[in-house]
Amino acid sequence: MIDNFSISLTFVIFCLFCGYVDCEFKNDVLRSAVLRANKDIVARNKDFLRQNVPEELYTLNSKWINSGAFLSEETGNLGAVVGFYNVSDSCFNHTALIMAGIQNRHEWALQFLDAFGKIPPGFLNGNLFFLGSYDQCLKIRYDNSSDPENVFKGQHCTAKIPMAPPDVQNGFYAVPPLTLGVCFPSTCSADDVMAYLNTGLSMLPTGNGSQPLFSYVVDCDVEGETTEYDAKAIGGFVLIGVIMLMMLIGTTYDVVVYQWGPWSRATMEEFTLTNERKLSEKTPLVGENKPSYGYIGQPGIFAQLLISFSVYSNGEKLLSTKQAPGSLTAINGIRVLSMFWVILGHAYVFPQRVASNYGDFIIDMSERVSFQAIMNALVSVDTFFALSGLLVAYLTLREMDKNSGKLNWAMFYFHRFWRLTPAYMLVLFVNATLTRYWGDGPLWQKDGFEIDFCKDSWWRNLLYINNFFDFGEMCMTWSWYLSNDMQFYILSPLMLIPLYLSQTIGLAVCAIFLLGTMTATGVITTNEDLPVSSFSPHVDPAKAMPYFEDYYIKPYCRMGPYIVGIVTGYVLYKTEGKYRINRALNLLCWVIAAVLACLCLYGLYEENKGTADLSTEVRSLYNTIHRSVWGACVCWVIFSCANGYGGFVNQLLSWKAFLPLGRLTYCAYLVHPIILNCVSYNRRVPLYMDDITMGYLFLATLVASYAVAFVVSLAFESPMMGLEKVIFKKKRR
């Protein structure tokens, strides 16, 4: 996995720092090779300086070159090679102090060397993390009382040097850069450190005698220094503060006035019973209208707005296990288990950029049959598309039926937008502005996890069109699903209205939509020769990003399960859960659904293992139909359970504990990648992937995600839903 170029880079950088301790090359062949490399560097840099720097700087650097400050044939000292790069005086002097301290075996100086990144084990297998010791470096202190100017501490700097061509450096499936951690005096700037590193890079053999060009960044940390809060972060704090204040006021008002006060439930029930007794004694049995019970007051609009932010009432609703009669109870279990599955898949994918053995681990895992359920976990998203289509059709058609085919389509769209967007935008805002302050370390992303703080791309998320833009510019990359789901929802009336008016026409329209998405998928897969998965270790890296950008996140390739869900929702609406199925037929359908689902999950075993190479036609067929087939299998489970033929499966999926967890699914989806990023990039050492570690990471992420989702739902989601009910006087269902 690592070429000779990377090996040379590692060797030269390591030897460069070894030169500080005046190391002698006992091997004559190695010593001669380094001396020859040094002479070539001197010659090349003389030409470079003469052509690219002002005369006064060239004269100064020539003094270094001509003074013999470079590699001495007697000592083999590499330390002075950096002289011609014009580091600052304080940085150079303090680096020299460290060199002298190492030569004299001073502990504080040896700590610099000890904290320096070194060749890691597993380098030849893809471990590109030379992190050194971050915390040890930051604790180093040098304080010379006789010379106050020579006072400095340790500074850990991280350089990320790309090890892949520019076209595959960015994106979710990018090759991670070589991450080198170095320990320098705190008086060295990032440019000074880069100057030292450039010396090592310039010694790399490129095969054609030219000096290699690198585009990399250096970030440095000193203990006690913190990133200042910018205007965006302050705005985030203000927003969170306002919401917390509203939650405090709303909860206090709800508990003190509404729950315990004159409008409490107990008071209202007592008042009602008292009036009923009084009225029953005076009201004739026949011939009179039912009289009024009286009025003691109800919360006004302002009070109801405050109660919308009440943690007490919102928490009670979130944790309730009550369901309305006729609910499709099996959906709760499917929704929650599918969300667990999504988090499981992301727990293996998101940390890959900080894992030292990701390549080897995935190759080994691909040979396990059981691991195919994780490698093909991408169909878990199709489960949500099928559920979404089913619920939209089932609920909308029932509502149309109650109103003789009429529906407020403006509210149809507004409710969906209001249901999803406030929590989505608030999480996006916090993620883009505040997460950069939540950690540190050699792997930490100082500029946050989003490109340029989503400054130029947030509006695409707001309009749910970000899946039509370049993936490298996407804000919250996992939000592609929300855009697809919203786009499907916008198009759903084109199928729902025909289905309500005419079953034949409606099913024909759905068939046209399904044929269109299958045709688009087949054409794109064939023309671009796309793989059947981007998670397989044997996929051509050049095809991984086109698979994601041109097929995986595009609505015209992903609508199949949604259409299948709409058809199933229509059938449930027509049958009202009273469809009778022959026991033998029911068993046969369960077997067929189980077989097809297993084929979707485990049918790629040989391909993922690398022992088979599917033809373009077969890959095109698989990409075209397997998502719709998976959606049909999920819909069969719901249909069978709704009609009373689910057996123990229905009992499991209808478990009441799934109901509150199901309400948190949306917020859990929004926040769990942020948690994975914070945990992964806050590490001091790279992650070593194995079964126990990954299992623990998944379980910890699962618990943390739902815990954070509960808070986010109380703060962002539930209040917005309460406000909608107050503003539009929406009746409870």
Side-chain angles (χ1 to χ4, degrees):
M1 298 178 63
I2 305 301
D3 55 16
N4 292 332
F5 177 80
S6 303
I7 296 175
S8 301
L9 171 63
T10 308
F11 170 75
V12 170
I13 292 177
F14 185 66
C15 285
L16 176 64
F17 200 82
C18 280
Y20 292 162
V21 294
D22 199 23
C23 61
E24 296 184 3
F25 296 101
K26 302 300 182 182
N27 187 307
D28 291 338
V29 176
L30 179 60
R31 179 171 175 273
S32 299
V34 174
L35 288 172
R36 286 196 302 271
N38 176 66
K39 292 178 180 179
D40 292 337
I41 293 169
V42 172
R44 285 206 306 269
N45 283 291
K46 280 183 176 180
D47 295 335
F48 176 81
L49 292 169
R50 183 180 295 109
Q51 298 172 11
N52 295 279
V53 303
E55 180 64 27
E56 58 272 15
L57 292 181
Y58 172 70
T59 303
L60 177 63
N61 281 284
S62 296
K63 293 180 180 179
W64 274 97
I65 295 174
N66 296 324
S67 66
F70 286 94
L71 183 65
S72 167
E73 295 191 11
E74 287 75 22
T75 64
N77 192 320
L78 290 171
V81 175
V82 299
F84 67 91
Y85 271 103
N86 284 322
V87 298
S88 64
D89 292 340
S90 59
C91 177
F92 185 82
N93 292 335
H94 293 162
T95 304
L97 279 176
I98 296 175
M99 294 165 54
I102 292 175
Q103 291 174 339
N104 294 319
R105 302 298 186 263
H106 293 159
E107 182 179 354
W108 67 269
L110 292 173
Q111 288 178 348
F112 275 93
L113 180 61
D114 188 35
F116 199 96
K118 304 172 184 66
I119 301 176
F123 172 70
L124 297 178
N125 292 326
N127 185 0
L128 300 177
F129 298 96
F130 301 33
L131 300 181
S133 179
Y134 179 85
D135 294 310
Q136 177 183 340
C137 180
L138 296 188
K139 292 178 181 178
I140 300 174
R141 297 289 184 274
Y142 176 77
D143 186 357
N144 188 346
S145 58
S146 61
D147 188 0
E149 293 185 358
N150 290 326
V151 175
F152 56 88
K153 7 182 217 187
Q155 173 181 231
H156 189 279
C157 300
T158 305
K160 297 180 179 179
I161 305 171
M163 290 288 103
D167 57 340
V168 293
Q169 285 179 17
N170 298 317
F172 194 68
Y173 299 96
V175 177
L178 188 150
T179 306
L180 173 66
V182 292
C183 190
F184 274 87
S186 56
T187 50
C188 293
S189 66
D191 291 335
D192 292 335
V193 175
M194 186 174 292
Y196 279 101
L197 294 180
N198 280 335
T199 299
L201 297 176
S202 67
M203 298 176 67
L204 291 174
T206 59
N208 57 6
S210 62
Q211 193 169 2
L213 298 177
F214 292 89
S215 177
Y216 64 97
V217 295
V218 174
D219 291 324
C220 297
D221 290 324
V222 178
E223 188 177 46
E225 291 185 357
T226 57
T227 304
E228 294 184 0
Y229 294 113
D230 56 14
K232 296 181 289 293
I234 295 174
F237 283 124
V238 170
L239 175 63
I240 293 176
V242 170
I243 293 176
M244 291 180 64
L245 180 61
M246 292 296 297
M247 292 170 66
L248 177 61
I249 297 174
T251 303
T252 303
Y253 181 86
D254 183 24
V255 172
V256 174
V257 178
Y258 190 65
Q259 301 297 333
W260 298 344
W263 300 325
S264 67
R265 295 173 187 171
T267 303
M268 291 296 292
E269 290 175 0
E270 181 181 354
F271 174 80
T272 302
L273 291 173
T274 301
N275 279 275
E276 284 179 346
R277 285 195 298 268
K278 292 180 180 179
L279 292 169
S280 64
E281 299 173 356
K282 301 177 181 179
T283 305
L285 297 177
V286 181
E288 296 289 340
N289 293 328
K290 187 176 181 180
S292 172
Y293 287 161
Y295 178 78
I296 64 170
Q298 291 290 336
I301 295 296
F302 181 74
Q304 293 179 52
L305 292 176
L306 287 179
I307 294 174
S308 298
F309 288 86
S310 171
V311 174
Y312 182 92
S313 294
N314 291 334
E316 184 181 31
K317 295 173 186 176
L318 284 175
L319 299 177
S320 173
T321 58
K322 297 179 181 179
Q323 298 187 87
S327 299
L328 302 175
T329 56
I331 286 182
N332 298 321
I334 295 176
R335 179 186 289 120
V336 172
L337 294 177
S338 297
M339 191 67 247
F340 288 3
W341 198 6
V342 169
I343 295 176
L344 175 63
H346 285 167
Y348 279 87
V349 174
F350 271 74
Q352 65 169 306
R353 300 201 60 147
V354 298
S356 62
N357 66 324
Y358 182 78
D360 284 347
F361 178 78
I362 293 300
I363 291 175
D364 293 340
M365 293 299 101
S366 67
E367 298 178 358
R368 293 187 188 177
V369 176
S370 59
F371 195 73
Q372 303 308 304
I374 297 177
M375 296 193 71
N376 298 323
L378 302 177
V379 295
S380 60
V381 179
D382 297 294
T383 300
F384 284 102
F385 284 143
L387 293 180
S388 183
L390 186 150
L391 289 173
V392 166
Y394 181 68
L395 298 177
T396 303
L397 291 173
R398 290 180 65 184
E399 192 72 17
M400 293 175 68
D401 192 45
K402 292 178 183 178
N403 297 284
S404 303
K406 296 180 181 179
L407 194 68
N408 188 337
W409 293 106
M411 286 301 301
F412 174 82
Y413 288 118
F414 176 81
H415 173 69
R416 183 69 169 185
F417 183 84
W418 188 259
R419 165 70 177 82
L420 299 180
T421 308
Y424 177 24
M425 289 294 103
L426 289 169
V427 170
L428 184 151
F429 183 59
V430 171
N431 178 49
T433 60
L434 295 180
T435 52
R436 60 186 296 221
Y437 304 100
W438 293 354
D440 56 19
L443 298 171
W444 186 251
Q445 307 291 311
K446 286 189 173 182
D447 293 329
F449 304 127
E450 305 298 340
I451 298 176
D452 201 16
F453 310 104
C454 299
K455 182 179 66 175
D456 299 322
S457 58
W458 65 270
W459 60 272
R460 302 169 185 170
N461 297 68
L462 177 64
L463 298 179
Y464 295 92
I465 57 174
N466 57 327
N467 57 330
F468 285 110
F469 291 84
D470 181 51
F471 173 74
E473 301 175 356
M474 187 180 295
C475 184
M476 286 178 59
T477 53
W478 58 98
S479 64
W480 69 267
Y481 163 78
L482 302 178
S483 297
N484 276 265
D485 190 66
M486 179 62 78
Q487 291 156 12
F488 299 159
Y489 187 85
I490 292 173
L491 295 175
S492 63
L494 299 179
M495 291 174 277
L496 296 177
I497 296 176
L499 280 171
Y500 180 81
L501 297 176
S502 170
Q503 177 174 309
T504 302
I505 296 176
L507 293 177
V509 171
C510 292
I512 293 173
F513 269 92
L514 186 60
L515 180 62
T517 188
M518 287 184 171
T519 302
T521 303
V523 170
I524 291 174
T525 302
T526 302
N527 289 345
E528 300 191 26
D529 194 25
L530 298 179
V532 290
S533 172
S534 60
F535 201 25
S536 172
H538 303 286
V539 170
D540 181 1
K543 299 293 184 180
M545 279 307 297
Y547 173 91
F548 189 84
E549 288 186 329
D550 300 335
Y551 159 66
Y552 188 75
I553 66 174
K554 291 297 185 285
Y556 41 78
C557 294
R558 301 303 303 270
M559 199 176 185
Y562 194 89
I563 299 169
V564 173
I566 284 182
V567 174
T568 307
Y570 171 75
V571 174
L572 286 171
Y573 152 72
K574 296 293 289 185
T575 59
E576 298 181 346
K578 300 176 182 179
Y579 189 79
R580 300 298 92 190
I581 308 174
N582 179 275
R583 179 174 296 183
L585 178 61
N586 178 61
L587 179 60
L588 177 62
C589 290
W590 272 98
V591 171
I592 292 175
V595 170
L596 291 176
C598 289
L599 287 175
C600 292
L601 282 183
Y602 302 100
L604 298 179
Y605 174 59
E606 297 296 331
E607 172 78 3
N608 290 335
K609 191 170 64 170
T611 57
D613 186 13
L614 300 179
S615 64
T616 301
E617 292 76 15
V618 173
R619 282 186 273 114
S620 178
L621 177 64
Y622 181 84
N623 285 346
T624 298
I625 67 172
H626 85 280
R627 300 191 183 280
S628 299
V629 170
W630 178 265
C633 295
V634 173
C635 288
W636 163 254
V637 174
I638 299 173
F639 179 80
S640 180
C641 292
N643 287 280
Y645 296 97
F648 74 92
V649 175
N650 185 42
Q651 294 178 0
L652 172 63
L653 297 178
S654 300
W655 185 31
K656 288 188 176 181
F658 284 138
L659 191 57
L661 292 176
R663 296 190 184 102
L664 297 175
T665 297
Y666 177 56
C667 288
Y669 182 79
L670 289 177
V671 303
H672 81 272
I674 301 175
I675 294 173
L676 281 170
N677 279 333
C678 289
V679 172
S680 299
Y681 288 103
N682 203 34
R683 299 179 61 88
R684 288 342 192 221
V685 295
L687 174 70
Y688 187 86
M689 302 179 73
D690 56 54
D691 290 336
I692 294 179
T693 300
M694 300 313 297
Y696 182 83
L697 178 62
F698 159 63
L699 293 175
T701 304
L702 183 67
V703 174
S705 297
Y706 274 88
V708 174
F710 182 70
V711 176
V712 171
S713 183
L714 288 177
F716 296 165
E717 185 181 25
S718 296
M720 298 302 118
M721 297 173 66
L723 290 176
E724 182 192 13
K725 292 180 181 179
V726 174
I727 295 172
F728 293 98
K729 306 293 184 181
K730 187 174 179 180
K731 295 181 180 180
R732 298 192 180 201
R733 297 188 183 182

